[in-house]
Structures are given as structure tokens and as C-alpha cells.
Amino acid sequence: MSLVSKLAGQTAIYGLPTIVGRFLNYLLVPMYTRVFMPSEYGVVTELYAYVALLMVLLTYGMETAFFRFSQKYKGNSDVSSTAVRALLITTALFFTFACVFKTSIATTINYPDHAHYIVWFAAIIAMDILCAIPFANLRNQNKPLKFALLKSMNIAANILFNLFFILFCPYYLENHPESLLQQVYNVNMGVGYIFISNLLANILTFVCFLPTFVKIGLHSDRRLLREMLVYALPVLVWGMAGIVNETFDRIILKHLITDPTQAMTQLGIYGACYKVSILMTLFVQAFRFAAEPFFFQQANKRNDKETYATVMHYFVIACLLIFLVCTLFLNDIMLFVGQDYRVGASIVPILLIANLFLGIFYNLSVWYKITDQTKYGAYIAIIGAIITIALNFALIPLMGYQGAAWATLICYVIITVLSYLLGQKHFPAPYTYKRL
């Protein structure tokens, strides 16, 4: 029980800046949904879905590989430097590609007049990727306070920039039309200032990590890199399949809505209501930050399986409490979004339960990570991606964003059951599944 208490404490420390910061970001949603129309907010929803997809692709499982090989080769500094160098090279290639082909990419995703969005998002993604290993290193070294401080700084900066560009500048210029600010502030930028705020916050975080990059260095062990890539490849496959499960609905929704004039509006409503279910998402995310290194540290210890089962037990209790509170006070919670977005309230309980199952799946995934059988994670995630794609194509034309929500829930239930059945075969842990 002391180990579970330790994990709970670390979840709180890792999660506090994430939960508080994301909750403050969540408080930006009322501003977004009152300043911008659903069709405009649909742009934000779609582009950040692409970001999530590219983040998984361009980190290609290296973060999980870093945790694994840091434990396998304790004290070997080449693990972190090899991972950082690999990500630096591939990220530089990605950024160059995005800048050279920005116009073609923007036209392909139906934003031909906003090629600059591609460059901004390429920079946002690049800095996020380069900071991934330094953040993972803080988690691996059990430095949750420093981790929390840097995460909080990034979130606070993003919020402040949003408030400055979206609220302060229009208000100030309305009352001071002759101000010099008029020369640099573009009133027609709209949701673009959400992206600029994110970019500036990421630049600040990247600068804070510069001393860490100098300390880690850029030397690389080729043998170690090959070993890490072999381990990471299945992680990339199931990571890509998993992120398809999470984001495909927001990428494809506007293309499957039968009424094109309502496509971006429905996407905006769906994206805003997805934000309403954020309390469950935040808890699951905070748990993941603490649990991944914790699970690896407990591997092969006495009673490790009992520990994993106990963690699952209390995790589900916590998630169900969140679900209960959110559904009991759903009408009040929906006041956070603008009036035009509240028609989507009925999908919030569906998304809450979906994210609960996603959290259970993350708990169950420990068996193939610590036994180096990540190929099973890839198989499960691929099956989930196929289900997600099929259900979205089947349900969205019939039910709109309701179909996207149901597709998410059905997919997560199926992959959770699959992971449990395979886990009990290869790494049987005494989960109290009947009580759960």
C-alpha cells in the first residue's frame, strides 16, 4: 500500500501543474467559444488533432525507449544523449520539409490562404519534441517539482499570451485607436493568435532547457541507438494507431458530415464538448506521467503483479468519482462554453466513460512494456485504429458528432478487453475484474 501511496503522491505532484494549468487553459474555452463562432473554433480543433498525430509520429517511441533503457543501463549517460540526437536530426528534417512545402500542405488540408499556419505548427511541434527527453529525464530521476515548475511555466505563458492577444489588445485598441499597437496587431488574425500564443510559450520552455541540452550533449552510441529503435518501433506502431483512435474523429469529421455548410460548425461543437470532458482526461494524463516510470521500477520485484492490480483498483475508483461529479453537475459545467456549443452536452458522458476505459487500457498496457513484448501493444492499437476508422465512416454520416463520440467509446472498450485477455495469458495479474 505504501507503494500505491507513493504513486498517488507522484501523480498529484506531476498532475498538479497539468491539472491546474490545463484547467486554467480550460477556462480559456469560455473565451474562445464566446469570441469565436463554432466554425472558427473548428479550425482549432482540427489543427491540434494533426499536432497530436505528428507528435507521436515524430517521437517514434523514443520516450518509452528512454525509460526502458535508462533502467536497463543505469548510469549510462549515452541513453539520453543518443535519444536527444536522434530526435534532433529527425525534427530538423521535418521542420525543413514543412517550411519548403507549406503551401502545398495548407492546400491539401483546405487552408490554402493560411500557409503560415503550417510553419507555426511545425515550430510548435519541433520544440515540443526536442523537450520530450529532458522532461522524461526529470520524471526518470524522480524530480517532479522541477518537472511541475517547467510545465506550469509553459501553461501560464500560453494563458497569458492568449489573454493578451485575444482580450487585451482588441479592448486597448478600441479605446486607443491611435496606439502604436495598431501597427503590429492584426484584428483579422482571429484564431491565429491562439497558435501564436502556443508558439511563444514553447519557445520560452525550449530556452529554459538549453542548459540541459548542453549537459546531455549530442554524442551518440550507434549500437545503443539500433537497440533503442528496435524496441521503439512497435511502440511507434501502437502509438500511431492509438493516436488515430484519439484524433481521427476530429480530422475526418468535416469530410463526412453530409451537409458541408455545417461541417466546421459541428467540428467546433464537438471540439468544445471534448474539452468539457477534460477532468477525466487530465487525471488519466497525470496518472500516466507518474505511472510509466513507476511501473518500470516495480518490474520483477516481489509482488509486482499485486501492486499493479492494487493501482488499477484505486485508479478506477478515482475515475468513477470524476464521472459521477461531472454527470451530476453537467448542466452547470456546460455553462463554461458559449450558448451555441451547448447543444452537444449529450456526448460529454459518453466521452467521460470513453476516457475512463482509455485509462484502464493504459494500466493494462504495463504487461507488454515490462516484458518487452511491445508488438502486442501494436497489434491491439492497430485493431483499435481499424475499428475507429470503420465506425467513424459508418456513424458520422448518420449521427454527426454523436457518431464520433460513440465510435470513441466502442473502440476503447474493445481494446481494453483485448489487452486484459492477452495480459492474463502472458502476464497474469490478480485484477479484481468482477468488482471493477
Side-chain angles (χ1 to χ4, degrees):
M1 190 63 186
S2 60
L3 288 173
V4 178
S5 300
K6 179 183 177 182
L7 176 59
Q10 290 190 349
T11 299
I13 296 173
Y14 283 119
L16 187 61
T18 303
I19 291 173
V20 173
R22 290 292 178 87
F23 183 72
L24 292 173
N25 269 330
Y26 172 65
L27 294 180
L28 292 175
V29 174
M31 178 179 72
Y32 294 156
T33 56
R34 286 167 173 82
V35 173
F36 305 118
M37 296 296 292
S39 57
E40 294 176 289
Y41 191 67
V43 176
V44 179
T45 300
E46 181 184 10
L47 291 183
Y48 275 106
Y50 282 114
V51 169
L53 191 69
L54 288 169
M55 280 294 298
V56 173
L57 176 63
L58 295 168
T59 52
Y60 45 88
M62 193 56 70
E63 188 176 11
T64 301
F66 167 78
F67 282 123
R68 176 59 177 161
F69 285 87
S70 293
Q71 294 298 318
K72 188 174 182 179
Y73 303 118
K74 288 185 178 181
N76 187 349
S77 62
D78 285 348
V79 174
S80 53
S81 60
T82 298
V84 168
R85 183 174 180 177
L87 290 175
L88 178 63
I89 293 171
T90 52
T91 301
L93 292 173
F94 158 74
F95 185 75
T96 303
F97 177 86
C99 290
V100 171
F101 297 101
K102 61 183 179 181
T103 303
S104 300
I105 296 169
T107 302
T108 300
I109 60 174
N110 296 329
Y111 296 109
D113 299 326
H114 298 285
H116 50 283
Y117 285 177
I118 306 303
V119 178
W120 293 350
F121 274 102
I124 289 170
I125 293 167
M127 281 177 283
D128 263 339
I129 291 169
L130 293 178
C131 291
I133 298 301
F135 269 125
N137 197 39
L138 292 176
R139 293 162 58 193
N140 195 54
Q141 294 175 349
N142 287 321
K143 295 182 178 179
L145 293 178
K146 187 174 181 180
F147 177 94
L149 178 64
L150 290 169
K151 281 288 183 181
S152 298
M153 181 200 67
N154 176 273
I155 292 165
N158 184 44
I159 292 168
L160 289 173
F161 285 129
N162 267 279
L163 294 175
F164 175 76
F165 288 121
I166 297 174
L167 287 187
F168 174 78
C169 287
Y171 173 80
Y172 185 80
L173 290 174
E174 184 179 349
N175 293 279
H176 302 83
E178 303 302 321
S179 169
L180 291 176
L181 187 61
Q182 186 74 47
Q183 305 302 316
V184 294
Y185 184 82
N186 184 355
V187 294
N188 297 316
M189 182 68 72
V191 295
Y193 279 119
I194 298 176
F195 313 145
I196 291 174
S197 298
N198 191 171
L199 176 59
L200 293 174
N202 277 18
I203 291 173
L204 183 60
T205 305
F206 180 77
V207 169
C208 289
F209 270 125
L210 286 178
T212 303
F213 289 119
V214 173
K215 183 178 179 180
I216 291 176
L218 293 177
H219 52 284
S220 179
D221 183 327
R222 291 187 178 182
R223 180 195 60 78
L224 178 60
L225 177 60
R226 285 194 297 270
E227 198 175 348
M228 293 177 74
L229 289 174
V230 168
Y231 178 89
L233 182 59
V235 178
L236 168 62
V237 174
W238 66 256
M240 282 299 296
I243 204 66
V244 166
N245 295 337
E246 293 184 39
T247 63
F248 183 75
D249 50 2
R250 278 157 281 174
I251 291 173
I252 200 66
L253 195 146
K254 76 175 185 181
H255 301 286
L256 297 180
I257 297 295
T258 52
D259 183 357
T261 63
Q262 291 296 310
M264 292 305 294
T265 298
Q266 288 215 28
L267 180 57
I269 292 170
Y270 183 65
C273 290
Y274 217 102
K275 292 286 188 181
V276 174
S277 66
I278 199 168
L279 289 179
M280 186 75 77
T281 308
L282 290 180
F283 177 75
V284 171
Q285 184 180 35
F287 176 82
R288 286 183 68 190
F289 278 139
E292 191 162 30
F294 174 84
F295 284 156
F296 279 118
Q297 290 162 7
Q298 297 307 309
N300 301 318
K301 289 185 178 181
R302 182 181 178 185
N303 298 325
D304 55 347
K305 295 178 181 178
E306 288 76 9
T307 299
Y308 299 145
T310 304
V311 168
M312 171 76 86
H313 182 84
Y314 288 101
F315 173 83
V316 172
I317 289 175
C319 285
L320 288 174
L321 286 172
I322 293 171
F323 174 79
L324 182 64
V325 170
C326 290
T327 49
L328 281 175
F329 299 99
L330 182 58
N331 289 337
D332 297 315
I333 291 174
M334 288 304 297
L335 295 176
F336 277 92
V337 298
Q339 181 67 44
D340 293 339
Y341 296 80
R342 295 172 197 166
V343 294
S346 60
I347 68 171
V348 174
I350 302 171
L351 294 172
L352 286 168
I353 287 289
N355 280 291
L356 185 155
F357 273 96
L358 181 61
I360 295 173
F361 174 74
Y362 287 142
N363 269 275
L364 295 171
S365 68
V366 64
W367 72 266
Y368 56 77
K369 290 181 180 179
I370 65 173
T371 59
D372 292 344
Q373 298 188 73
T374 48
K375 62 181 181 180
Y376 285 104
Y379 298 153
I380 295 169
I382 290 170
I383 291 170
I386 293 170
I387 293 169
T388 293
I389 293 170
L391 288 177
N392 273 286
F393 274 99
L395 298 180
I396 290 176
L398 297 176
M399 305 167 64
Y401 56 77
Q402 290 271 355
W406 280 109
T408 301
L409 173 57
I410 294 169
C411 170
Y412 289 162
V413 170
I414 292 174
I415 64 174
T416 298
V417 172
L418 283 175
S419 184
Y420 173 77
L421 295 175
L422 286 170
Q424 292 304 96
K425 179 180 178 181
H426 295 277
F427 188 80
Y431 295 115
T432 56
Y433 70 94
K434 290 183 179 179
R435 295 184 67 190
L436 294 177

